[in-house]
Amino acid sequence: RQTKFYQEVELETKLEIALRLLKMDLDFSVEQIAEALELKVEVVRKAIEKHKHTMIKFIRSKLFNPIDCSGR
């Protein structure tokens, strides 16, 4: 049997992975990520909501910071 501490660490780790996958913009849906990590979709959505400010900053940086193609 796993300890409560182990279960909490495992959940936090999986949620961190879920958020990183979403930030990587690999075209995975929330549902696909939840399934791959054996999490409930609602748990992943709550983590996204909790970290929404970080996700918004990331999305804005991708949208509004053009890539420098000058080769410098």
Side-chain angles (χ1 to χ4, degrees):
R1 188 181 128 190
Q2 298 172 346
T3 66
K4 183 173 174 91
F5 174 76
Y6 177 86
Q7 291 170 347
E8 289 174 4
V9 170
E10 181 181 37
L11 176 61
E12 287 300 316
T13 301
K14 287 182 176 185
L15 292 174
E16 180 64 31
I17 292 168
L19 293 172
R20 287 181 184 204
L21 287 171
L22 288 167
K23 285 181 183 180
M24 291 177 72
D25 196 24
L26 299 173
D27 277 339
F28 290 125
S29 69
V30 172
E31 292 79 9
Q32 289 171 315
I33 291 172
E35 183 179 345
L37 295 173
E38 299 176 342
L39 295 170
K40 293 182 180 179
V41 173
E42 189 57 33
V43 172
V44 176
R45 287 197 173 126
K46 285 182 181 180
I48 293 167
E49 185 67 28
K50 182 178 176 182
H51 294 90
K52 189 188 319 187
H53 65 282
T54 304
M55 297 296 287
I56 290 171
K57 285 180 186 178
F58 171 76
I59 291 167
R60 284 184 180 154
S61 72
K62 297 274 280 188
L63 292 175
F64 300 113
N65 289 334
I67 297 172
D68 181 8
C69 297
S70 64
R72 291 184 248 170

